[in-house]
């Protein structure tokens, strides 16, 4: 019997086991156009916290009493869909379970089941550098922020899945990169990836450290954190700086909400442009992304560390680890 994580209650603050439950998943016969997939890896991502509310967002929220969903890769074990055969490797959005019945046509959110091309990469790569996180990094940096060679780029959560990809893409494109990460080990890895500097936000306030390593200011801020990182970016931004707002993990579990920005007023004299985005905004550019990112990943020019939890029962602990700095690189669950 397959098992899945179910959403059971809306949390206030950090979710706990009072808000989810691991249960058996009822058998589901295949309809035409569907495949049954034995999942091999599950993705857990910070955006999933936003799905644990009843507030409208860019992704449909989890429904109370229903299985949770998210990115996954695995092998087709049964098919009633044209073009999909037993043994095909696929990526889909019915994660949080060890076996999934999925539609092969795109749903309302535009995310269907993708048959993975025969590239010589581990299957879980499609959940990070060749998937959502890699595409988010690529599009946010190059499309939303319009970063260009010679720019000084500041990246928060630079040791995470998205941030580490941003660091490497920016260096490949001829930019100066300053990262922020929590702790000396993570900062050392960010520098190994090519960053020109990395500040340790656990070692002291962000702004003095950022000002010290960016005396000439920054042209681009890629925000994964919000809070004092975003405020520091306002403080040191050069004229016409561009901020790509990818995530604000610093606020996701804050039941009170709100943060004071001392330097927000610099948006006016510095003419700062700040834009939120999601990777599906650029879905028409996926061929461009894979055409450039694919060879970089296959050649080892773009790297990723993986933090892997074992078994479906570990998925919720893996998710919570995202909010305590428990991952370096991509957080995954191996089934």
């Amino acid at each position: 019997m397959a098992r899945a994580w179910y959403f059971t209650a809306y949390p206030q603050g950090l979710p706990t086991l009072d808000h989810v439950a691991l249960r058996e998943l009822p058998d589901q016969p295949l309809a035409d156009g569907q495949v049954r997939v034995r999942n091999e890896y599950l993705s857990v991502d910070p955006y999933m916290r936003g799905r644990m509310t009843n507030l409208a967002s860019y992704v449909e929220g989890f429904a109370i009493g229903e299985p949770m969903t998210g990115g996954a890769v695995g092998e087709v074990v049964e098919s009633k869909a044209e073009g999909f055969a037993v043994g095909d490797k696929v990526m889909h959005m019915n994660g949080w379970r060890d076996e999934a019945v999925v539609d092969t046509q795109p749903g309302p959110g535009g995310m269907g089941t993708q048959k993975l091309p025969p590239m010589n990469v581990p299957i879980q790569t499609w959940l990070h550098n060749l998937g959502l996180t890699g595409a988010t990094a690529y599009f946010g940096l190059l499309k939303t922020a319009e970063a260009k060679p010679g720019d000084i780029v500041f990246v928060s959560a630079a040791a995470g899945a998205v941030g580490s990809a941003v660091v490497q893409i920016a260096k490949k494109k001829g930019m100066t990169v300053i990262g922020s990460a929590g702790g000396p080990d993570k900062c050392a890895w960010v520098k190994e990836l090519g960053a020109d500097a990395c500040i340790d936000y656990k070692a002291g306030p962000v702004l003095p450290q950022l000002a010290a390593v960016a005396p000439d200011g920054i042209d681009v801020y890629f925000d994964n954190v919000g809070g004092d990182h975003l405020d520091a970016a306002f403080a040191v931004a050069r004229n016409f700086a561009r901020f790509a707002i990818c995530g604000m993990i610093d606020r996701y579990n804050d039941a009170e909400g709100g943060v004071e920005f001392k330097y927000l007023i610099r948006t006016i004299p510095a003419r700062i442009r700040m834009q939120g985005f999601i990777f599906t905004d650029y879905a028409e550019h996926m061929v461009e992304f894979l055409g450039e990112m694919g060879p970089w990943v296959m050649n080892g020019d773009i790297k990723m560390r993986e933090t892997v939890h074992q078994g479906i029962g570990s998925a919720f602990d893996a998710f919570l680890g995202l909010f305590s700095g428990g991952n370096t690189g991509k957080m995954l669950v191996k089934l």
Side-chain angles (χ1 to χ4, degrees), residues 17-317:
L17 286 172
D18 292 331
H19 306 110
V20 296
L22 183 60
R23 299 172 178 168
E24 291 185 346
L25 193 64
D27 287 334
Q28 180 181 345
L30 293 188
D32 289 341
Q34 293 183 328
V35 295
R36 191 182 312 276
V37 180
R38 181 182 298 115
N39 288 332
E40 298 180 25
Y41 282 88
L42 310 179
S43 175
V44 292
D45 302 281
Y47 82 88
M48 293 174 174
R49 177 60 182 86
R51 302 183 67 189
M52 295 180 172
T53 73
N54 55 3
L55 301 177
S57 185
Y58 63 88
V59 182
E60 184 178 2
F62 296 131
I64 290 179
E66 295 296 326
M68 296 158 67
T69 57
V73 289
E75 181 175 329
V76 174
V77 295
E78 185 182 358
S79 176
K80 291 188 71 174
E82 185 176 352
F84 289 81
V86 171
D88 285 345
K89 300 291 187 176
V90 297
M91 177 171 60
H92 60 88
M93 292 302 293
N94 270 22
W96 287 96
R97 65 197 76 189
D98 46 23
E99 184 179 279
V101 171
V102 294
D103 295 316
T104 56
Q105 296 301 313
M111 295 295 292
T113 302
Q114 297 175 258
K115 185 158 61 173
L116 300 180
M119 292 175 63
N120 187 27
V121 297
I123 190 172
Q124 68 270 25
T125 308
W126 296 95
L127 293 177
H128 52 75
N129 275 340
L130 291 180
L132 184 149
T133 52
T136 297
Y138 185 91
F139 295 139
L141 180 69
L142 302 179
K143 303 295 186 184
T144 302
E146 298 179 345
K148 59 187 183 300
D151 278 346
I152 300 172
V153 179
F154 177 42
V155 186
S156 57
V162 173
S164 61
V166 173
V167 168
Q168 295 173 87
I169 295 168
K171 292 306 299 181
K172 294 287 287 184
K173 295 289 187 177
M175 303 168 199
T176 298
V177 179
I178 299 164
S180 173
D185 290 343
K186 288 186 177 182
C187 282
W189 184 58
V190 171
K191 289 182 181 178
E192 285 180 26
L193 295 178
D196 299 274
C198 185
I199 64 174
D200 179 358
Y201 69 83
K202 292 185 176 181
V206 173
L207 179 54
Q209 295 186 75
L210 180 58
V213 296
D216 297 323
I218 62 171
D219 300 292
V220 169
Y221 175 44
F222 194 106
D223 189 20
N224 293 301
V225 173
D228 56 355
H229 282 76
L230 179 55
D231 203 32
F234 283 131
V236 303
R238 301 168 81 171
N239 287 346
F240 304 103
R242 292 89 66 204
F243 289 13
I245 309 300
C246 176
M248 293 189 175
I249 198 170
D250 188 54
R251 315 306 301 174
Y252 290 171
N253 294 303
D254 187 345
E256 299 300 322
V259 62
E260 179 184 1
F261 290 105
K262 296 180 181 179
Y263 301 100
L264 176 63
I265 196 170
R266 292 205 66 251
T267 304
I268 301 168
R271 284 85 91 203
I272 298 167
R273 174 166 60 83
M274 183 169 64
Q275 182 178 339
F277 75 99
I278 54 178
F279 90 105
T280 51
D281 294 338
Y282 304 100
E284 70 271 21
H285 298 287
M286 284 299 292
V287 172
E288 172 192 339
F289 160 70
L290 290 173
E292 190 157 32
M293 195 72 158
W296 287 343
V297 171
M298 292 182 68
N299 294 337
D301 294 334
I302 299 286
K303 301 176 175 62
M304 177 65 73
R305 284 189 182 176
E306 300 170 353
T307 302
V308 182
H309 289 240
Q310 300 290 329
I312 186 66
S314 72
F316 189 65
D317 284 340

